[in-house]
Amino acid sequence: MPSLSIHRLPMAHPGDLSALAGLIAAGTIRAGDVRAVIGKTEGNGGLNDFTRGFFTQSLMLLLARHTGEAPEALAARIPCVLSGGTEGALSPHYMVFAVARDRGGASGLALGSAFSPPTQAGEIGRVAQIEAVSAAVRAAMADAGIARAEDVALVQVKAPCALAPGPEARSGDPRMLMALSRAAAAFGAGIAIGDIAPEAGTEAALLRDVQHFSSRVSISSGIEVTCNEVVVIGRAAGWTPGITAGVAPMRDLLDLDGVIAACRAAGLEASPAVADRSRVLGVIAKGEPDKAGHIRGARHTMLGDTDIDAQRHLRGALGAIVAAVTGDGQVFVSGGAEHQGPPGGGLVCIFARE
């Protein structure tokens, strides 16, 4: 029977896997048990952010030395979801999700993964991507043994983009294509877990019909992946208990109550800070600047300007708010929350020891 463990590890630079190497050497983690990695690197989070690919390459080389598998084979079955940008109080780190099969229990937190077929530039932001992500999410649920959509706590997807989209793409602007990719993946995942109606999943709805969203879906996009890499986490029979996941929407960037609600859903006492921070295993947050240009009636200046991109403002601000509650700057904060949580807001997911 499977048992999930989560290890939140620091990185001294984008290629630093020394903390994971130490856990493998000590026997705390078996390299072959690593099922997914979700992390924050210190790049700019944009198209030319090499830190994401550098970390992935370093990770696969480390695991290959211990498993004997080719790095390419490992990369084809282990999702590595990375978000660049550690502005403000955020700290570069990564969460290793390992699944051992030497124990079992009645019901516990489960993890499943799946990859869609390679996504062509002309499929990004189209119905083809929505359907591919939906199929991959359902496959990941089956992989985890999660029988009911309501038992899914979080779907994390790394969606592809294209540096040189070509004339068949929905947009010639790679940054817009990244947003469309996130939106299509959010729709696909939301449909798969029942948060978005299937008939709503049209190309015209992407980035426009903001009333369609899921507060259990987190999407990152980048040119370092060529398909949709999916991780699904939720409760399933046969998994060892001991870890819980609490998820809650944030109605806007200042929604401290939303962060506290996620903590309490994870079984943590928080008002306004977590009482026992040693129980926190990892934190994922999504957010976006309110497109109306205001937060609770006050004007904000998180704009796509030439000096500081709006997403960098967002990550610094949201990271500080979440870290103040959870007590650690090692928070996965990703901007671009299209159809991920309420418009102008986002979501928070907290993993904790029970």
Side-chain angles (χ1 to χ4, degrees):
M1 292 293 183
S3 173
L4 176 66
S5 62
I6 302 174
H7 307 265
R8 183 168 55 172
L9 305 174
M11 63 174 81
H13 56 77
D16 176 30
L17 274 297
S18 59
L20 176 57
L23 292 180
I24 293 173
T28 305
I29 298 177
R30 291 190 296 242
D33 290 344
V34 175
R35 288 291 309 275
V37 172
I38 300 174
K40 286 293 296 182
T41 59
E42 60 208 73
N44 61 17
L47 288 165
N48 64 341
D49 184 350
F50 74 93
T51 63
R52 301 181 303 234
F54 180 32
F55 178 91
T56 301
Q57 174 181 271
S58 302
L59 171 66
M60 300 310 167
L61 288 172
L62 170 65
L63 296 178
R65 288 198 296 271
H66 289 276
T67 64
E69 294 184 68
E72 297 80 8
L74 291 164
R77 68 172 180 82
I78 300 175
C80 188
V81 181
L82 300 172
S83 171
T86 51
E87 295 81 5
L90 295 175
S91 179
H93 72 287
Y94 56 106
M95 291 173 281
V96 177
F97 296 79
V99 176
R101 295 192 176 273
D102 53 356
R103 293 180 294 170
S107 177
L109 199 66
L111 179 145
S113 62
F115 287 61
S116 76
T119 304
Q120 304 302 315
E123 297 175 327
I124 294 175
R126 299 190 186 277
V127 170
Q129 187 182 12
I130 295 173
E131 293 177 344
V133 172
S134 283
V137 170
R138 294 187 181 101
M141 289 174 61
D143 181 49
I146 300 173
R148 305 183 306 168
E150 55 263 39
D151 292 331
V152 172
L154 184 75
V155 179
Q156 177 69 62
V157 181
K158 184 68 181 187
C161 190
L163 186 58
E168 71 279 9
R170 279 199 66 182
S171 174
D173 180 354
R175 292 179 62 186
M176 174 56 70
L177 207 59
M178 288 179 75
L180 286 166
S181 186
R182 290 191 297 266
F187 261 79
I191 290 170
I193 61 174
D195 289 351
I196 297 176
E199 59 271 18
T202 65
E203 294 175 13
L206 301 182
L207 306 180
R208 294 180 180 176
D209 292 349
V210 295
Q211 75 273 16
H212 298 303
F213 63 86
S214 171
S215 294
R216 297 185 289 164
V217 168
S218 170
I219 315 293
S220 182
S221 63
I223 61 171
E224 73 274 16
V225 297
T226 58
C227 65
N228 300 279
E229 303 186 359
V230 175
V231 179
V232 173
I233 298 170
R235 299 200 71 83
W239 287 72
T240 302
I243 298 177
T244 184
V247 184
M250 291 186 70
R251 61 187 178 91
D252 59 33
L253 183 59
L254 302 179
D255 189 8
L256 184 65
D257 289 340
V259 184
I260 293 173
C263 292
R264 291 177 176 169
L268 298 169
E269 181 183 343
S271 182
V274 173
D276 186 359
R277 294 171 176 174
S278 67
R279 291 175 55 197
V280 178
L281 295 172
V283 183
I284 292 174
K286 287 292 299 188
E288 64 176 357
D290 185 86
K291 290 180 172 55
H294 293 80
I295 303 175
R296 302 186 186 183
R299 186 170 68 92
H300 72 71
T301 59
M302 292 182 285
L303 308 172
D305 210 339
T306 56
D307 50 359
I308 304 178
D309 186 80
Q311 301 300 332
R312 308 200 79 169
H313 281 285
L314 181 281
R315 290 191 295 261
L318 180 56
I321 291 168
V322 177
V325 177
T326 61
D328 195 320
Q330 294 181 116
V331 177
F332 179 98
V333 174
S334 176
E338 303 89 352
H339 309 290
Q340 305 153 65
L347 63 94
V348 180
C349 175
I350 298 175
F351 303 106
R353 296 184 183 89
E354 289 183 323

